[in-house]
Protein backbone atom coordinates (compact mmCIF):
# COMPACT_ATOMS: atom_id res chain seq x y z
CA UNK A 1 0.00 0.00 0.00
CA UNK A 2 1.91 2.98 -1.28
CA UNK A 3 1.49 6.59 -0.29
CA UNK A 4 2.33 8.99 2.49
CA UNK A 5 1.96 7.28 5.87
CA UNK A 6 0.35 8.78 8.94
CA UNK A 7 3.30 10.49 10.66
CA UNK A 8 4.23 11.84 14.05
CA UNK A 9 6.50 14.65 15.10
CA UNK A 10 9.09 12.98 17.31
CA UNK A 11 9.62 15.12 20.43
CA UNK A 12 12.96 16.71 21.04
CA UNK A 13 14.62 16.97 24.45
CA UNK A 14 12.01 14.62 25.90
CA UNK A 15 12.24 14.76 29.68
CA UNK A 16 11.10 12.22 32.23
CA UNK A 17 9.97 12.71 35.78
CA UNK A 18 12.27 11.78 38.63
CA UNK A 19 9.64 9.89 40.61
CA UNK A 20 10.18 6.18 41.10
CA UNK A 21 8.79 4.10 38.24
CA UNK A 22 7.28 0.67 38.82
CA UNK A 23 7.42 -1.00 35.42
CA UNK A 24 4.66 -3.19 34.10
CA UNK A 25 3.15 -3.79 30.71
CA UNK A 26 0.42 -1.45 31.76
CA UNK A 27 1.24 1.75 33.57
CA UNK A 28 3.50 3.36 36.13
CA UNK A 29 2.29 4.79 39.42
CA UNK A 30 4.35 7.62 40.80
CA UNK A 31 3.24 9.78 43.71
CA UNK A 32 2.64 12.71 41.37
CA UNK A 33 0.48 10.64 39.02
CA UNK A 34 -1.57 9.22 41.88
CA UNK A 35 -2.42 12.73 43.06
CA UNK A 36 -3.19 13.74 39.50
CA UNK A 37 -5.60 10.85 38.92
CA UNK A 38 -6.86 9.96 42.39
CA UNK A 39 -10.01 8.07 41.38
CA UNK A 40 -9.96 4.48 40.12
CA UNK A 41 -12.83 2.49 38.67
CA UNK A 42 -12.38 -1.21 37.95
CA UNK A 43 -14.14 -3.63 35.62
CA UNK A 44 -12.26 -6.74 36.78
CA UNK A 45 -13.77 -9.26 34.38
CA UNK A 46 -13.87 -7.20 31.18
CA UNK A 47 -12.41 -8.97 28.14
CA UNK A 48 -10.47 -11.49 30.18
CA UNK A 49 -7.88 -9.03 31.47
CA UNK A 50 -9.97 -6.48 33.34
CA UNK A 51 -10.01 -2.72 32.88
CA UNK A 52 -8.97 0.00 35.31
CA UNK A 53 -9.88 3.63 34.64
CA UNK A 54 -7.96 6.26 36.62
CA UNK A 55 -9.56 9.71 36.50
CA UNK A 56 -9.14 13.21 37.84
CA UNK A 57 -12.83 13.24 38.77
CA UNK A 58 -15.00 10.46 40.20
CA UNK A 59 -17.09 8.57 37.67
CA UNK A 60 -20.80 9.17 38.39
CA UNK A 61 -23.19 6.24 38.61
CA UNK A 62 -24.94 7.00 35.31
CA UNK A 63 -21.61 7.11 33.45
CA UNK A 64 -20.55 3.89 35.16
CA UNK A 65 -23.73 2.26 33.88
CA UNK A 66 -22.99 3.47 30.35
CA UNK A 67 -19.47 2.07 30.56
CA UNK A 68 -20.79 -1.27 31.81
CA UNK A 69 -23.31 -1.40 28.97
CA UNK A 70 -20.60 -0.53 26.44
CA UNK A 71 -18.33 -3.35 27.62
CA UNK A 72 -21.21 -5.84 27.60
CA UNK A 73 -22.35 -4.80 24.11
CA UNK A 74 -18.89 -5.15 22.59
CA UNK A 75 -18.36 -8.51 24.28
CA UNK A 76 -21.77 -9.81 23.19
CA UNK A 77 -21.07 -8.75 19.61
CA UNK A 78 -17.39 -9.59 18.97
CA UNK A 79 -16.34 -12.25 21.49
CA UNK A 80 -15.75 -15.76 20.17
CA UNK A 81 -15.80 -16.99 23.78
CA UNK A 82 -19.54 -16.36 24.13
CA UNK A 83 -22.08 -18.66 22.56
CA UNK A 84 -24.59 -15.79 22.29
CA UNK A 85 -22.30 -13.48 20.29
CA UNK A 86 -22.64 -12.63 16.61
CA UNK A 87 -19.15 -14.03 16.07
CA UNK A 88 -20.29 -17.40 17.47
CA UNK A 89 -23.36 -17.29 15.22
CA UNK A 90 -21.07 -17.03 12.20
CA UNK A 91 -19.03 -19.99 13.41
CA UNK A 92 -22.15 -22.07 13.97
CA UNK A 93 -23.90 -21.31 10.64
CA UNK A 94 -23.53 -24.53 8.59
CA UNK A 95 -24.04 -22.77 5.25
CA UNK A 96 -22.96 -19.27 6.20
CA UNK A 97 -25.34 -16.34 5.80
CA UNK A 98 -25.66 -12.58 6.15
CA UNK A 99 -24.78 -11.10 9.53
CA UNK A 100 -25.70 -7.53 10.42
CA UNK A 101 -23.34 -5.96 12.94
CA UNK A 102 -23.85 -2.62 14.72
CA UNK A 103 -22.66 0.43 12.80
CA UNK A 104 -19.87 0.98 15.33
CA UNK A 105 -18.23 -2.20 14.02
CA UNK A 106 -17.23 -0.46 10.78
CA UNK A 107 -13.96 0.74 12.32
CA UNK A 108 -13.15 -2.83 13.42
CA UNK A 109 -13.76 -4.22 9.95
CA UNK A 110 -11.89 -1.34 8.30
CA UNK A 111 -8.93 -2.10 10.55
CA UNK A 112 -9.15 -5.78 9.64
CA UNK A 113 -9.11 -4.92 5.93
CA UNK A 114 -6.12 -2.60 6.25
CA UNK A 115 -4.01 -4.85 8.48
CA UNK A 116 -4.76 -7.95 6.39
CA UNK A 117 -3.27 -6.29 3.32
CA UNK A 118 -0.52 -4.37 5.11
CA UNK A 119 0.85 -7.57 6.70
CA UNK A 120 0.48 -9.54 3.48
CA UNK A 121 -2.23 -11.68 5.10
CA UNK A 122 -0.23 -12.51 8.25
CA UNK A 123 -2.73 -10.71 10.51
CA UNK A 124 -6.13 -12.19 9.68
CA UNK A 125 -9.27 -12.40 11.86
CA UNK A 126 -9.99 -15.81 10.32
CA UNK A 127 -7.62 -17.53 12.76
CA UNK A 128 -10.34 -18.54 15.19
CA UNK A 129 -10.24 -22.17 14.09
CA UNK A 130 -6.44 -22.37 14.32
CA UNK A 131 -6.52 -20.85 17.82
CA UNK A 132 -9.14 -23.38 18.87
CA UNK A 133 -7.10 -26.30 17.57
CA UNK A 134 -4.09 -25.00 19.46
CA UNK A 135 -6.12 -25.00 22.66
CA UNK A 136 -7.31 -21.41 22.77
CA UNK A 137 -10.92 -22.06 21.91
CA UNK A 138 -14.32 -20.89 23.17
CA UNK A 139 -14.42 -23.71 25.73
CA UNK A 140 -10.98 -22.65 27.03
CA UNK A 141 -9.97 -26.30 27.06
CA UNK A 142 -6.40 -27.00 26.04
CA UNK A 143 -5.94 -29.25 23.05
CA UNK A 144 -2.99 -31.50 23.84
CA UNK A 145 -3.44 -33.82 20.87
CA UNK A 146 -1.40 -33.97 17.68
CA UNK A 147 -4.23 -32.30 15.78
CA UNK A 148 -3.27 -29.20 13.85
CA UNK A 149 -5.06 -27.38 11.09
CA UNK A 150 -3.39 -27.81 7.72
CA UNK A 151 -6.20 -26.07 5.81
CA UNK A 152 -5.48 -22.35 5.98
CA UNK A 153 -7.33 -21.44 2.79
CA UNK A 154 -10.02 -19.57 4.75
CA UNK A 155 -8.95 -15.93 4.84
CA UNK A 156 -10.55 -12.57 5.50
CA UNK A 157 -10.43 -11.88 1.76
CA UNK A 158 -11.92 -15.20 0.61
CA UNK A 159 -14.40 -16.02 3.39
CA UNK A 160 -15.90 -12.58 4.11
CA UNK A 161 -17.78 -10.25 1.79
CA UNK A 162 -18.65 -6.70 2.91
CA UNK A 163 -21.30 -4.59 1.27
CA UNK A 164 -19.89 -1.32 -0.01
CA UNK A 165 -22.91 0.77 1.02
CA UNK A 166 -23.50 -1.25 4.22
CA UNK A 167 -19.99 -2.13 5.42
CA UNK A 168 -21.11 -3.69 8.71
CA UNK A 169 -23.05 -6.49 6.99
CA UNK A 170 -20.83 -9.54 6.53
CA UNK A 171 -21.71 -12.30 4.07
CA UNK A 172 -20.33 -15.83 4.29
CA UNK A 173 -21.01 -19.10 2.48
CA UNK A 174 -19.73 -21.47 5.18
CA UNK A 175 -18.94 -21.43 8.91
CA UNK A 176 -16.21 -18.90 9.69
CA UNK A 177 -14.39 -18.70 13.03
CA UNK A 178 -13.41 -15.06 13.45
CA UNK A 179 -11.16 -13.74 16.20
CA UNK A 180 -10.62 -10.01 16.70
CA UNK A 181 -8.22 -10.46 19.59
CA UNK A 182 -5.44 -8.73 17.63
CA UNK A 183 -7.09 -5.35 18.14
CA UNK A 184 -10.56 -5.83 19.63
CA UNK A 185 -9.56 -4.91 23.17
CA UNK A 186 -7.88 -1.77 21.89
CA UNK A 187 -11.11 -0.87 20.11
CA UNK A 188 -13.03 -1.35 23.34
CA UNK A 189 -10.66 1.04 25.12
CA UNK A 190 -11.34 3.66 22.47
CA UNK A 191 -15.09 3.25 22.86
CA UNK A 192 -14.71 3.73 26.61
CA UNK A 193 -12.60 6.83 26.01
CA UNK A 194 -15.29 8.25 23.76
CA UNK A 195 -17.86 7.84 26.52
CA UNK A 196 -15.60 9.60 29.01
CA UNK A 197 -14.89 12.48 26.66
CA UNK A 198 -18.52 13.06 25.65
CA UNK A 199 -20.06 12.80 29.11
CA UNK A 200 -22.27 15.92 29.31
CA UNK A 201 -21.63 16.69 32.97
CA UNK A 202 -17.91 17.11 32.32
CA UNK A 203 -17.84 20.50 30.64
CA UNK A 204 -15.72 20.75 27.53
CA UNK A 205 -12.93 23.25 27.30
CA UNK A 206 -11.47 24.15 23.91
CA UNK A 207 -8.50 25.93 25.50
CA UNK A 208 -7.18 22.56 26.69
CA UNK A 209 -7.10 21.24 23.15
CA UNK A 210 -4.15 23.12 21.71
CA UNK A 211 -2.11 19.99 21.00
CA UNK A 212 -4.91 17.76 19.74
CA UNK A 213 -4.54 16.62 16.09
CA UNK A 214 -8.06 17.89 15.39
CA UNK A 215 -8.18 21.34 17.06
CA UNK A 216 -11.81 21.81 16.08
CA UNK A 217 -12.74 19.06 18.50
CA UNK A 218 -13.53 20.04 22.04
CA UNK A 219 -11.53 18.52 24.86
CA UNK A 220 -13.17 17.36 28.09
CA UNK A 221 -12.03 18.86 31.35
CA UNK A 222 -11.45 15.41 32.85
CA UNK A 223 -8.04 13.72 32.66
CA UNK A 224 -7.82 9.94 32.63
CA UNK A 225 -5.84 6.78 31.92
CA UNK A 226 -7.53 3.58 30.75
CA UNK A 227 -5.56 0.39 31.35
CA UNK A 228 -6.87 -2.81 29.78
CA UNK A 229 -4.23 -5.44 30.46
CA UNK A 230 -1.44 -3.85 28.45
CA UNK A 231 -3.56 -1.62 26.20
CA UNK A 232 -3.30 1.89 27.65
CA UNK A 233 -4.96 5.14 26.56
CA UNK A 234 -4.01 8.48 28.14
CA UNK A 235 -5.56 11.94 28.12
CA UNK A 236 -3.62 14.53 30.13
CA UNK A 237 -3.87 18.25 29.47
CA UNK A 238 -0.55 19.38 30.94
CA UNK A 239 2.95 18.02 31.34
CA UNK A 240 4.54 15.90 32.60
CA UNK A 241 3.35 13.04 30.39
CA UNK A 242 2.23 9.73 31.80
CA UNK A 243 5.12 7.27 32.00
CA UNK A 244 4.29 3.71 31.01
CA UNK A 245 6.62 0.89 31.98
CA UNK A 246 7.56 -1.75 29.41
CA UNK A 247 7.25 -5.08 31.19
CA UNK A 248 10.07 -7.56 31.06
CA UNK A 249 8.47 -10.52 29.21
CA UNK A 250 10.22 -12.97 31.54
CA UNK A 251 9.59 -11.15 34.82
CA UNK A 252 6.39 -9.11 35.31
CA UNK A 253 7.97 -7.42 38.33
CA UNK A 254 10.60 -5.72 36.20
CA UNK A 255 10.54 -3.07 33.48
CA UNK A 256 12.94 -2.91 30.54
CA UNK A 257 12.04 0.65 29.64
CA UNK A 258 9.63 3.57 29.87
CA UNK A 259 7.42 5.23 27.28
CA UNK A 260 5.94 8.69 28.02
CA UNK A 261 2.46 9.42 26.64
CA UNK A 262 0.68 12.75 27.03
CA UNK A 263 -2.36 12.13 24.84
CA UNK A 264 -2.65 8.85 23.00
CA UNK A 265 -2.18 5.11 23.34
CA UNK A 266 0.47 2.47 23.94
CA UNK A 267 -0.14 -1.24 23.46
CA UNK A 268 2.01 -4.32 24.06
CA UNK A 269 1.98 -7.86 22.71
CA UNK A 270 3.74 -10.85 24.19
CA UNK A 271 3.07 -14.56 24.70
CA UNK A 272 4.49 -14.37 28.23
CA UNK A 273 1.07 -14.39 29.93
CA UNK A 274 -0.79 -16.59 27.48
CA UNK A 275 1.04 -19.76 26.54
CA UNK A 276 0.63 -23.46 27.24
CA UNK A 277 2.05 -26.88 26.42
CA UNK A 278 0.75 -29.04 23.57
CA UNK A 279 1.80 -32.54 22.65
CA UNK A 280 2.88 -33.01 19.06
CA UNK A 281 4.16 -36.34 17.86
CA UNK A 282 5.24 -37.61 21.28
CA UNK A 283 6.90 -34.31 22.27
CA UNK A 284 5.59 -31.37 24.25
CA UNK A 285 5.82 -27.94 22.64
CA UNK A 286 5.10 -24.48 24.01
CA UNK A 287 2.44 -22.70 21.97
CA UNK A 288 0.74 -19.33 22.31
CA UNK A 289 -1.95 -17.13 20.82
CA UNK A 290 0.14 -14.92 18.51
CA UNK A 291 -0.10 -16.66 15.16
CA UNK A 292 1.06 -16.07 11.64
CA UNK A 293 -2.24 -16.58 9.83
CA UNK A 294 -0.44 -17.77 6.70
CA UNK A 295 0.84 -20.86 8.52
CA UNK A 296 -1.64 -21.11 11.38
CA UNK A 297 1.25 -21.52 13.82
CA UNK A 298 2.58 -19.39 16.72
CA UNK A 299 5.44 -17.02 15.92
CA UNK A 300 8.59 -18.23 17.68
CA UNK A 301 11.25 -15.59 16.98
CA UNK A 302 9.68 -12.53 18.64
CA UNK A 303 9.63 -12.01 22.39
CA UNK A 304 7.56 -8.84 22.78
CA UNK A 305 6.43 -5.77 20.89
CA UNK A 306 5.03 -2.30 21.57
CA UNK A 307 3.33 0.31 19.41
CA UNK A 308 2.21 3.84 20.28
CA UNK A 309 -0.14 6.41 18.79
CA UNK A 310 0.79 9.75 20.43
CA UNK A 311 -2.14 11.92 19.38
CA UNK A 312 -0.47 15.17 20.42
CA UNK A 313 2.33 14.49 17.89
CA UNK A 314 0.35 13.40 14.84
CA UNK A 315 0.91 15.58 11.83
CA UNK A 316 -2.01 16.87 9.80
CA UNK A 317 -2.60 15.15 6.48
CA UNK A 318 -1.34 17.00 3.39
CA UNK A 319 -3.91 18.59 1.10
CA UNK A 320 -3.66 15.83 -1.49
CA UNK A 321 -4.18 12.39 -0.03
CA UNK A 322 -5.51 9.02 -1.13
CA UNK A 323 -8.51 7.25 0.33
CA UNK A 324 -6.18 4.81 2.12
CA UNK A 325 -4.23 7.66 3.70
CA UNK A 326 -7.40 9.36 4.89
CA UNK A 327 -8.71 6.10 6.35
CA UNK A 328 -5.41 5.44 8.17
CA UNK A 329 -5.44 8.95 9.63
CA UNK A 330 -9.09 8.62 10.63
CA UNK A 331 -8.43 5.32 12.41
CA UNK A 332 -5.36 6.76 14.18
CA UNK A 333 -7.18 9.82 15.49
CA UNK A 334 -10.52 8.20 16.34
CA UNK A 335 -9.31 4.74 17.40
CA UNK A 336 -5.66 5.14 18.50
CA UNK A 337 -5.68 2.21 20.92
CA UNK A 338 -7.15 -0.14 18.32
CA UNK A 339 -4.43 0.80 15.84
CA UNK A 340 -1.66 0.57 18.44
CA UNK A 341 -3.02 -2.84 19.46
CA UNK A 342 -3.11 -4.02 15.84
CA UNK A 343 0.42 -2.78 15.14
CA UNK A 344 1.84 -4.40 18.28
CA UNK A 345 0.34 -7.71 17.16
CA UNK A 346 1.46 -7.22 13.57
CA UNK A 347 5.08 -6.72 14.67
CA UNK A 348 5.23 -10.45 15.41
CA UNK A 349 5.02 -11.17 11.68
CA UNK A 350 5.77 -7.91 9.89
CA UNK A 351 8.63 -5.43 10.15
CA UNK A 352 8.15 -1.93 11.48
CA UNK A 353 9.55 -0.70 8.16
CA UNK A 354 6.67 -2.31 6.30
CA UNK A 355 4.05 -1.21 8.80
CA UNK A 356 5.38 2.36 8.71
CA UNK A 357 4.43 2.69 5.04
CA UNK A 358 0.93 3.26 6.34
CA UNK A 359 1.47 4.05 10.05
CA UNK A 360 4.75 5.87 10.70
CA UNK A 361 4.36 5.82 14.48
CA UNK A 362 6.57 4.56 17.34
CA UNK A 363 7.01 0.77 17.17
CA UNK A 364 9.47 -1.60 18.80
CA UNK A 365 9.95 -5.39 18.70
CA UNK A 366 12.40 -7.60 20.60
CA UNK A 367 13.66 -10.99 19.52
CA UNK A 368 14.07 -13.89 21.91
CA UNK A 369 17.54 -12.69 22.95
CA UNK A 370 16.21 -9.26 23.99
CA UNK A 371 17.73 -7.58 20.95
CA UNK A 372 15.76 -4.99 18.98
CA UNK A 373 14.59 -6.79 15.87
CA UNK A 374 12.46 -4.01 14.44
CA UNK A 375 11.67 -0.41 15.29
CA UNK A 376 10.30 2.85 13.94
CA UNK A 377 10.50 6.32 15.52
CA UNK A 378 10.77 4.89 19.02
CA UNK A 379 11.41 7.71 21.49
CA UNK A 380 10.91 5.92 24.78
CA UNK A 381 13.71 4.97 27.18
CA UNK A 382 15.15 1.45 27.11
CA UNK A 383 17.21 0.17 30.00
CA UNK A 384 20.48 -1.41 28.88
CA UNK A 385 22.68 -3.84 30.74
CA UNK A 386 26.11 -2.67 31.87
CA UNK A 387 29.16 -4.79 32.51
CA UNK A 388 30.22 -5.31 36.10
Amino acid sequence: MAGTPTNIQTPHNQTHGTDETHGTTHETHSTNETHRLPYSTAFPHAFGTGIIISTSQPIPQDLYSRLTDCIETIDRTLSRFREDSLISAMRQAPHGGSFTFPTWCQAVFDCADMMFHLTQHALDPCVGEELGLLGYGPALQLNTSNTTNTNIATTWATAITREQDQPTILHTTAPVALDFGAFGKGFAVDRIAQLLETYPAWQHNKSLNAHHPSPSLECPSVEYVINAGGDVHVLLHAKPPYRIGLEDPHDPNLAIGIMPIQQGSLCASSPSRRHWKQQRFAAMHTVHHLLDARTGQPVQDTLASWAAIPLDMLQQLPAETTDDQRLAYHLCTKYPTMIADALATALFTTSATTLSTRFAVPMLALDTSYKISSQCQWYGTLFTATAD
Side-chain angles (χ1 to χ4, degrees):
M1 300 174 70
T4 303
T6 299
N7 289 300
I8 68 159
Q9 298 172 343
T10 302
H12 300 287
N13 301 320
Q14 180 70 56
T15 59
H16 305 281
T18 57
D19 297 325
E20 180 183 4
T21 296
H22 304 284
T24 69
T25 306
H26 321 303
E27 57 189 295
T28 67
H29 288 290
S30 68
T31 303
N32 179 56
E33 290 158 349
T34 301
H35 287 312
R36 197 172 184 180
L37 304 171
Y39 302 98
S40 293
T41 304
F43 301 87
H45 304 295
F47 309 117
T49 61
I51 296 174
I52 298 175
I53 306 175
S54 302
T55 54
S56 58
Q57 302 178 37
I59 291 180
Q61 183 59 47
D62 62 332
L63 178 56
Y64 179 83
S65 297
R66 295 183 195 182
L67 294 171
T68 301
D69 291 343
C70 173
I71 293 169
E72 167 63 19
T73 299
I74 293 174
D75 199 50
R76 189 173 60 245
T77 303
L78 296 178
S79 174
R80 69 183 178 92
F81 297 101
R82 291 180 55 153
E83 291 300 316
D84 61 343
S85 72
L86 265 176
I87 294 299
S88 291
M90 295 180 70
R91 188 185 73 247
Q92 296 163 359
H95 306 292
S98 297
F99 302 88
T100 302
F101 285 78
T103 56
W104 50 260
C105 286
Q106 180 172 347
V108 176
F109 301 156
D110 287 345
C111 182
D113 283 343
M114 184 166 288
M115 298 307 298
F116 177 77
H117 294 291
L118 186 58
T119 63
Q120 298 181 334
H121 310 173
L123 198 159
D124 186 341
C126 292
V127 294
E129 182 179 358
E130 285 77 15
L131 287 168
L133 288 172
L134 287 171
Y136 194 45
L140 292 177
Q141 295 176 344
L142 296 186
N143 173 18
T144 58
S145 69
N146 295 332
T147 304
T148 57
N149 186 17
T150 57
N151 179 16
I152 54 174
T154 300
T155 70
W156 179 254
T158 61
I160 304 293
T161 302
R162 294 177 68 189
E163 292 190 10
Q164 187 171 2
D165 57 342
Q166 294 180 300
T168 58
I169 298 179
L170 303 186
H171 301 283
T172 63
T173 58
V176 178
L178 294 178
D179 179 271
F180 290 104
F183 47 84
K185 184 152 58 72
F187 171 77
V189 169
D190 291 325
R191 293 284 291 179
I192 290 171
Q194 291 165 9
L195 286 176
L196 295 177
E197 295 181 21
T198 58
Y199 183 59
W202 287 339
Q203 297 299 312
H204 291 72
N205 187 342
K206 288 184 178 180
S207 66
L208 297 174
N209 208 30
H211 301 294
H212 198 280
S214 301
S216 61
L217 297 177
E218 294 184 336
C219 193
S221 58
V222 70
E223 294 184 308
Y224 64 81
V225 172
I226 305 170
N227 167 11
D231 297 344
V232 181
H233 182 71
V234 180
L235 177 64
L236 298 178
H237 302 312
K239 293 184 180 300
Y242 204 76
R243 298 173 306 139
I244 304 173
L246 311 181
E247 181 181 287
D248 184 332
H250 288 149
D251 188 342
N253 296 311
L254 299 177
I256 62 171
I258 300 171
M259 185 64 162
I261 297 288
Q262 182 83 31
Q263 296 180 5
S265 302
L266 175 69
C267 293
S269 286
S270 173
S272 60
R273 293 176 181 267
R274 200 169 296 169
H275 60 271
W276 57 95
K277 295 288 187 179
Q278 184 185 55
Q279 182 176 346
R280 295 184 182 180
F281 309 108
M284 297 301 292
H285 296 266
T286 299
V287 296
H288 58 78
H289 68 295
L290 294 164
L291 310 186
D292 184 331
R294 297 166 297 192
T295 65
Q297 296 302 308
V299 179
Q300 301 295 345
D301 56 358
T302 300
L303 182 64
S305 62
W306 295 267
I309 307 290
L311 290 173
D312 51 328
M313 302 174 198
L314 285 179
Q315 296 178 349
Q316 291 287 346
L317 280 175
E320 295 184 4
T321 55
T322 66
D323 289 344
D324 282 344
Q325 292 166 11
R326 285 190 291 272
L327 177 58
Y329 186 79
H330 166 75
L331 292 175
C332 272
T333 56
K334 299 295 185 183
Y335 302 95
T337 322
M338 177 180 72
I339 296 301
D341 197 8
L343 291 173
T345 306
L347 282 167
F348 270 70
T349 62
T350 309
S351 71
T353 300
T354 297
L355 297 173
S356 68
T357 61
R358 180 58 63 227
F359 300 101
V361 298
M363 291 178 274
L364 177 72
L366 301 180
D367 64 19
T368 53
S369 61
Y370 280 83
K371 294 180 180 178
I372 296 175
S373 58
S374 188
Q375 68 172 318
C376 172
Q377 301 193 21
W378 189 259
Y379 64 85
T381 299
L382 289 177
F383 305 144
T384 57
T386 57
D388 294 333

